[in-house]
Amino acid sequence: MKKRALISVSDKNGVAAFAKELHELGFEIVSTGGTKKAIAEAGVPVIGVSDVTGFPEILEGRVKTLNPLIHGGLLAKFDDSSHQAQLEKHQIHPIQVVCVNLYPFQQTIAKPDVTVEDAIENIDIGGPAMLRASAKNHAHVTVVVDPIDYETVITQLKENDIVDAATKRKLAAKVFRHTAAYDAMIAEYMTELAEEEQPEKLTVTYELKQALRYGENPHQKASFYRKPLGSVFSIANATQLHGKELSYNNINDTDAALQIVKEFDGPAAVAVKHMNPCGVGNGTDIYDAFSKAFAADPVSIFGGIIALNREVNAQTATKLHEIFLEIIIAPSFSAEALEILQGKKNLRLLTIPFEGNKKTEKRLTSIEGGLLAQDYDTYGLEEANITVATTREPTEEEWQSLKLGWKVVKHVKSNAIVVNNSDQTLGIGAGQMNRVGSAKIAIEQAGKAVEGATMASDAFFPMNDTVEAAAKAGITAIIQPGGSIKDQESIEKANEYGLAMVFTGVRHFKH
């Protein structure tokens, strides 16, 4: 049986060398277009697909390999006498090795000036058809979609004259993952183009960024995948400058810190522990902001994750160096700051482009046997229908404080209460089963600083007990969604103590 290899690739990295090795092993090389040219220029004999099919490429190259003389060679069972008889009858040569990768759809739609026409033309048809046919017939055909596998195939062919069954099956599985991801990306692009908000099927694809040592706990296996062409402003696209490998919990906590620091335009610092903020500060510069975040809870920040939205300078680095931290993420670090912080060998230092693409994405949450999809909670005060529910309106300073609290509280696990002033959080009550419980935790954590502070609640007060607890502690203004059937009782209690209370009409549950 004549040995034949079909090679047609967009990614030509290493393909000429691969073709040369196959030729030296006795394979006839069949190819198309630019791939054929690259192989020929490397001095390797190659014949065109049109020479095999007897039919020219047509429709601007849209139809090249969609032909029984190609697909019959890909799908024939070499050990089936009836298949062999049909191949002989129709003068179809079997193809033992297929090397195909696809039109660069992802790279095309990543271009900022891409047109719909360019995107559509980069949807490969013949490539996936050849890959799927070869992968289906992997018992007889070796199919290669990734240049990283060239060496494995050549080594086995040299040593055994065949590629073993286990390797062919692994290569076929990679093909189906590759074509599924390719189609998922096209489906997502077309769904967005058609403005379908809730398609009947949700197709998503992610690329492995790293294998993790373990998950939330050492007995759980875990991996970290990132979304192709996802938001640049993401932990998935961070550059690690220093420190040991990120863990599952590190990644989750860093993402939580980033989501909070995104809320601020001015210099801001966020400290996170176990997916909840433990200290948030804004200031005149990044040192001032971090100093306030640290002062907000100097106990809980130990072993925490820090997100900063300005370059870390030497002054800030010196203060950061004094504390045991897991991760610091920022737009950049000065040379002096890096030198200071790299003295701690395990401290991870990460950068991401804070001015990068902040595209809106869906938040996907897995449940056993299913998936929940929702928009990220990006709703801000500027979009809310704010009303002052009490007799007294907030002062200007209270307004600034209420705005800060509202930015933070939506990132705290429900039930959530934040006590703060205009510069920093003072106490955070997270994840309690009743709201007054969260309020008591936040008030206790704020200590003496609660006097004159404000309070933010992620959802309405079902009773007036939270308002009373706040007033007795010395809080002067509250921001909350409103909407309880007992709102009036809370309003009356606030008026009784002279508190200002603002309703936003929007809740921020976070589970």
Side-chain angles (χ1 to χ4, degrees):
M1 183 187 297
K2 181 193 293 183
K3 294 191 293 186
R4 176 174 278 181
L6 173 60
I7 305 177
S8 180
V9 295
S10 293
D11 178 3
K12 296 178 176 57
N13 179 41
V15 74
F18 183 57
K20 184 178 180 181
E21 295 270 22
L22 288 172
H23 170 67
E24 291 173 355
L25 288 165
F27 282 84
E28 178 183 66
I29 309 298
V30 178
S31 190
T32 62
T35 307
K36 179 175 178 287
K37 181 180 178 183
I39 293 171
E41 287 176 350
V44 179
V46 57
I47 62 175
V49 166
S50 295
D51 297 322
V52 172
T53 63
F55 203 93
E57 296 181 9
I58 62 171
L59 307 179
E60 301 175 284
R62 284 187 169 196
V63 179
K64 297 189 284 282
T65 59
L66 298 170
N67 188 290
L69 292 171
I70 297 296
H71 282 268
L74 299 178
L75 285 163
K77 298 177 183 178
F78 299 168
D79 57 359
D80 187 309
S81 59
S82 67
H83 281 212
Q84 291 304 310
Q86 290 176 67
L87 291 182
E88 290 177 14
K89 177 182 178 181
H90 298 290
Q91 297 184 310
I92 299 173
H93 294 284
I95 300 172
Q96 291 84 4
V97 174
V98 172
C99 175
V100 172
N101 53 57
L102 306 176
Y103 290 174
F105 183 79
Q106 178 177 333
Q107 294 89 326
T108 300
I109 63 173
K111 297 174 183 176
D113 57 347
V114 64
T115 64
V116 173
E117 290 74 18
D118 284 341
I120 297 298
E121 283 307 310
N122 276 278
I123 297 175
D124 204 327
I125 302 300
M130 287 189 291
L131 284 172
R132 288 173 58 82
S134 305
K136 173 177 179 174
N137 199 32
H138 68 271
H140 305 281
V141 179
T142 299
V143 56
V144 187
V145 73
D146 188 346
I148 200 172
D149 296 315
Y150 292 166
E151 184 178 352
T152 298
V153 170
I154 294 299
T155 298
Q156 290 201 15
L157 287 172
K158 284 181 176 179
E159 291 177 353
N160 308 310
D161 201 37
I162 61 168
V163 176
D164 66 56
T167 300
K168 285 195 285 190
R169 179 157 290 177
K170 286 180 180 179
L171 293 172
K174 180 180 279 193
V175 163
F176 286 118
R177 292 194 300 271
H178 184 80
T179 56
Y182 190 79
D183 283 340
M185 202 172 305
I186 294 168
E188 183 176 12
Y189 176 82
M190 294 299 294
T191 298
E192 290 179 2
L193 199 63
E195 298 181 347
E196 293 277 3
E197 292 189 356
Q198 292 183 313
E200 75 290 344
K201 287 184 173 58
L202 181 65
T203 53
V204 294
T205 185
Y206 291 85
E207 301 168 341
L208 182 67
K209 181 177 173 69
Q210 71 183 83
L212 301 174
R213 288 173 293 156
Y214 52 82
E216 276 184 289
N217 300 289
H219 58 273
Q220 293 170 274
K221 291 183 179 180
S223 306
F224 183 22
Y225 288 83
R226 69 178 162 199
K227 185 178 176 63
L229 306 182
S231 173
V232 174
F233 196 171
S234 161
I235 178 63
N237 289 297
T239 300
Q240 185 165 350
L241 305 180
H242 178 71
K244 62 184 180 180
E245 187 179 88
L246 295 173
S247 72
Y248 182 98
N249 291 333
N250 291 157
I251 293 163
N252 258 331
D253 285 340
T254 305
D255 177 65
L258 280 176
Q259 298 308 319
I260 302 170
V261 85
K262 283 181 186 182
E263 299 279 353
F264 297 89
D265 296 320
V270 175
V272 162
K273 284 287 288 291
H274 302 298
M275 299 287 286
N276 277 306
C278 59
V280 179
N282 56 29
T284 55
D285 56 32
I286 200 62
Y287 176 80
D288 184 33
F290 175 68
S291 297
K292 289 170 180 173
F294 172 72
D297 190 344
V299 175
S300 298
I301 201 172
F302 182 85
I305 311 293
I306 306 299
L308 307 156
N309 65 356
R310 297 290 190 276
E311 180 174 86
V312 178
N313 54 28
Q315 183 187 26
T316 309
T318 300
K319 191 170 183 66
L320 288 161
H321 189 272
E322 295 171 356
I323 314 159
F324 168 61
L325 299 169
E326 291 280 359
I327 294 172
I328 303 168
I329 188 165
S332 57
F333 295 80
S334 71
E336 295 87 351
L338 267 180
E339 186 176 354
I340 293 166
L341 294 170
Q342 285 175 337
K344 292 191 170 185
K345 67 176 183 177
N346 290 330
L347 174 62
R348 292 89 156 181
L349 305 178
L350 307 176
T351 62
I352 62 167
F354 273 58
E355 298 306 315
N357 176 12
K358 299 184 175 98
K359 64 182 289 188
T360 302
E361 296 181 358
K362 293 285 186 184
R363 186 175 188 91
L364 306 179
T365 304
S366 63
I367 61 168
E368 187 171 2
L371 189 74
L372 294 170
Q374 68 170 343
D375 296 334
Y376 273 84
D377 185 358
T378 58
Y379 204 97
L381 267 185
E382 63 279 1
E383 302 166 272
N385 183 23
I386 297 173
T387 58
V388 178
T390 51
T391 303
R392 184 174 78 79
E393 293 200 4
T395 65
E396 183 57 37
E397 185 175 355
E398 285 172 339
W399 271 119
Q400 295 306 311
S401 183
L402 292 172
K403 288 176 182 178
L404 172 61
W406 194 245
K407 287 179 179 179
V408 175
V409 77
K410 77 176 183 180
H411 297 281
V412 180
K413 292 294 182 75
S414 302
N415 287 312
I417 295 288
V418 172
V419 172
N420 63 282
N421 58 32
S422 58
D423 293 324
Q424 66 187 141
T425 56
L426 302 170
I428 297 173
Q432 299 306 298
M433 284 61 73
N434 63 76
R435 193 155 300 279
V436 71
S438 291
K440 288 176 179 178
I441 291 171
I443 290 167
E444 182 180 355
Q445 188 182 52
K448 294 179 180 179
V450 73
E451 190 72 35
T454 63
M455 174 182 285
S457 174
D458 65 333
F460 62 64
F461 298 144
M463 305 287 180
N464 65 15
D465 48 5
T466 303
V467 177
E468 184 158 31
K472 288 181 176 179
I475 285 167
T476 62
I478 296 172
I479 187 168
Q480 57 128 322
S484 169
I485 59 173
K486 294 187 176 181
D487 271 349
Q488 191 57 40
E489 292 182 17
S490 291
I491 293 168
E492 290 172 1
K493 185 63 67 174
N495 283 332
E496 178 185 332
Y497 284 97
L499 271 67
M501 187 158 64
V502 173
F503 286 175
T504 65
V506 177
R507 78 177 189 205
H508 286 304
F509 277 158
K510 188 171 190 291
H511 292 93

